[in-house]
Amino acid sequence: WYQRRVHGHEMSGTIEELGEDVTDWSIGDRVTVRPLDPCLQCPACLAGNSHICMKLKFVGIDTPGALQSSWTVPAHTLHRIPESLSLKHAALIEPIAVACHDVRMSKLQAGEFVVIIGGGPIGALIGLCSLQAGAKVIVLEINPVRRNLAIDLGLDVVNPKEVDIEALVLERTNGAGADVVFEVSASPAGAELMTKLVKVRGRLVQVGIFSEPVKVDLFKVFW
């Protein structure tokens, strides 16, 4: 059933129709969508954390998405696009916002060493944001297409099936381990690897969304 649903939440477009009670927008406005529809009533929302609402609806995942000729969304999810930004580039706003949020949550500092497990779109964008923050970055990715794209973007990319990643990280950090590890793959292998790469008092940021429980070596980080 899920596979038959129309997907898509990273988008940009122009408003073609307005609901009766929508007053702050006009036909033709250029917009992108922040695809979160919180209840605004649960404890998380009332504490100011509506982005992780306990009853959150993810527009385009829990509801039909943007990969169709028109898309009906709540007006409160809209964000105006400046005229200086093309619709093509504006479609990247949502995934870039995710990457910026993840890097901000990591409290990344210039000069720190970062490992990103998973070099898909979000992993690559986290890598670029980390470079922009002045970090040293390696990305782990097994897919050759994704590896090549990340390399073209200027990232240092390693195939974890061909390299001893634990040894590589220790070598590049003088035996300390990574300051920050971003787990973006949502794979069992990534979950098991992440705690083996982070240094003592390092930071782990879980980005990938797992569909079922996985094994995590918490012994590495229990102190």
Side-chain angles (χ1 to χ4, degrees):
W1 174 78
Y2 178 79
Q3 294 297 326
R4 294 196 299 269
R5 173 172 286 174
V6 177
H7 292 217
H9 62 273
E10 300 157 337
M11 55 74 66
S12 62
T14 57
I15 296 177
E16 296 293 332
E17 297 182 62
L18 295 170
E20 291 183 0
D21 298 326
V22 177
T23 58
D24 296 331
W25 299 94
S26 301
I27 302 297
D29 283 349
R30 303 163 73 251
V31 297
T32 188
V33 169
R34 183 167 61 95
L36 306 178
D37 190 11
C39 73
L40 302 180
Q41 298 177 344
C42 71
C45 286
L46 295 177
N49 298 312
S50 62
H51 64 296
I52 45 176
C53 165
M54 297 165 68
K55 301 177 182 178
L56 183 67
K57 288 184 180 178
F58 202 113
V59 183
I61 294 180
D62 298 321
T63 62
L67 294 176
Q68 52 184 317
S69 59
S70 63
W71 191 28
T72 302
V73 298
H76 70 79
T77 65
L78 298 178
H79 289 263
R80 200 177 306 276
I81 298 171
E83 290 299 326
S84 59
L85 189 64
S86 70
L87 289 177
K88 181 178 179 179
H89 288 150
L92 289 169
I93 290 175
E94 195 275 345
I96 290 174
V98 170
C100 290
H101 170 73
D102 296 330
V103 171
R104 184 169 61 247
M105 290 291 289
S106 77
K107 299 181 181 180
L108 183 64
Q109 300 295 313
E112 289 191 315
F113 190 89
V114 170
V115 177
I116 300 169
I117 304 174
I122 299 299
L125 289 171
I126 290 173
L128 294 176
C129 289
S130 298
L131 287 179
Q132 183 68 26
K136 293 166 283 188
V137 179
I138 62 170
V139 179
L140 312 183
E141 177 55 55
I142 62 174
N143 183 298
V145 175
R146 290 182 168 186
R147 275 203 312 273
N148 290 335
L149 177 58
I151 291 170
D152 288 344
L153 291 172
L155 294 166
D156 183 2
V157 188
V158 176
N159 183 348
K161 289 189 173 183
E162 297 178 351
V163 177
D164 184 336
I165 298 301
E166 293 182 62
L168 176 65
V169 171
L170 290 175
E171 177 187 344
R172 295 197 185 182
T173 59
N174 295 319
D179 296 288
V180 181
V181 175
F182 295 94
E183 202 301 301
V184 197
S185 70
S187 68
E192 192 168 357
L193 178 64
M194 61 182 181
T195 59
K196 298 175 181 178
L197 303 181
V198 68
K199 76 174 188 179
V200 174
R201 293 294 185 265
R203 285 97 70 200
L204 289 169
V205 181
Q206 182 57 52
V207 182
I209 300 173
F210 289 89
S211 59
E212 57 186 32
V214 293
K215 179 181 178 181
V216 178
D217 187 359
L218 293 178
F219 183 77
K220 295 286 187 180
V221 293
F222 80 96
W223 289 109

